Structure formats: structure tokens, C-alpha cells
Amino acid sequence: EDQVVNGHDEKENNPFAEYMWMENEEDFNRQVEEELQEQEFLDRCFQEMLEEEDQDWFIPSRDLPQGVGQLQQQLNGLSVGDGHSSEDILSKSNLNPDAKEFVPGVKY
């Protein structure tokens, strides 16, 4: 039978083996702290990169003066045509439907 001394077997090499992780606790803490600082640095870099990218994008609500935004809303509300049907317009037109199509820079 194994003899037990102070709660440990005689065969056990180091009775404090389960506490040996504490020996390097400061190194472990330093390593974890460095990793956290590195992650924080990377997060800041990504945030700065995203902010710089946002500055390069044209965002009308942010980049145009207030009056221009209102004009843009008014323009968006406009529609082409004034209530006349296309047939009505064609019947009153004095344009030649058989005329050649105008192409800038081409002489006929």
C-alpha cells in the first residue's frame, strides 16, 4: 500500500503541481493584457478606416445644404407630362414623323 504524507502520495513528484500555473501568473497576465491592447488597437484602426471611407462617399442628406435637399425632394415629386395623353399631343404636333433622326455632328 502507498503511504500518504500530508495528503499526497509518496510517488507524486511535486505535491504542488496543481498550483504551478501560479508561478507564471504575471507573464500570463502580461500576455493577455498585450493581446487585449492589440485587439483594441485593431478596433480603433478599423473604426478610423470606416470613418475615412464614409468621408469619401457622397451622402446627399449630409453633404448637400438644407435648401438643396428640399429642392431635391420637390424635383422627385415632379412628373413628366402635364395631364395630356400622348395621342392628344401627337394629333396637335406639327413635326414631320417621316423626318430623319437628328444625330449631332452628322450632316445630311
Side-chain angles (χ1 to χ4, degrees), residues 17-34:
E18 64 183 285
Y19 302 104
M20 291 307 292
W21 66 271
M22 295 174 127
E23 179 180 27
N24 298 324
E25 185 177 9
E26 290 178 4
D27 291 337
F28 177 77
N29 287 345
R30 190 176 311 114
Q31 180 184 356
V32 169
E33 192 171 318
E34 287 174 3

Side-chain angles (χ1 to χ4, degrees), residues 4-101:
V4 176
V5 178
N6 293 332
H8 295 283
D9 292 341
E10 241 180 45
K11 292 180 182 176
E12 193 174 320
N13 293 339
N14 185 353
F16 301 104
E18 64 183 285
Y19 302 104
M20 291 307 292
W21 66 271
M22 295 174 127
E23 179 180 27
N24 298 324
E25 185 177 9
E26 290 178 4
D27 291 337
F28 177 77
N29 287 345
R30 190 176 311 114
Q31 180 184 356
V32 169
E33 192 171 318
E34 287 174 3
E35 289 173 5
L36 289 173
Q37 289 174 346
E38 183 177 341
Q39 184 61 42
E40 186 178 318
F41 175 73
L42 288 174
D43 290 344
R44 281 197 317 265
C45 287
F46 275 115
Q47 188 61 38
E48 287 179 19
M49 182 184 69
L50 290 173
E51 288 171 3
E52 287 176 9
E53 197 172 87
D54 279 348
Q55 290 174 357
D56 292 343
W57 287 83
F58 175 75
I59 302 171
S61 61
R62 180 193 70 192
D63 298 331
L64 292 176
Q66 288 298 328
V68 176
Q70 292 171 351
L71 269 175
Q72 189 175 24
Q73 288 177 348
Q74 290 173 353
L75 287 174
N76 289 340
L78 295 177
S79 63
V80 177
D82 54 0
H84 297 295
S85 69
S86 59
E87 292 174 7
D88 189 27
I89 293 172
L90 289 175
S91 66
K92 295 179 182 177
S93 172
N94 59 0
L95 297 176
N96 179 2
D98 298 324
K100 291 183 179 179
E101 182 179 346

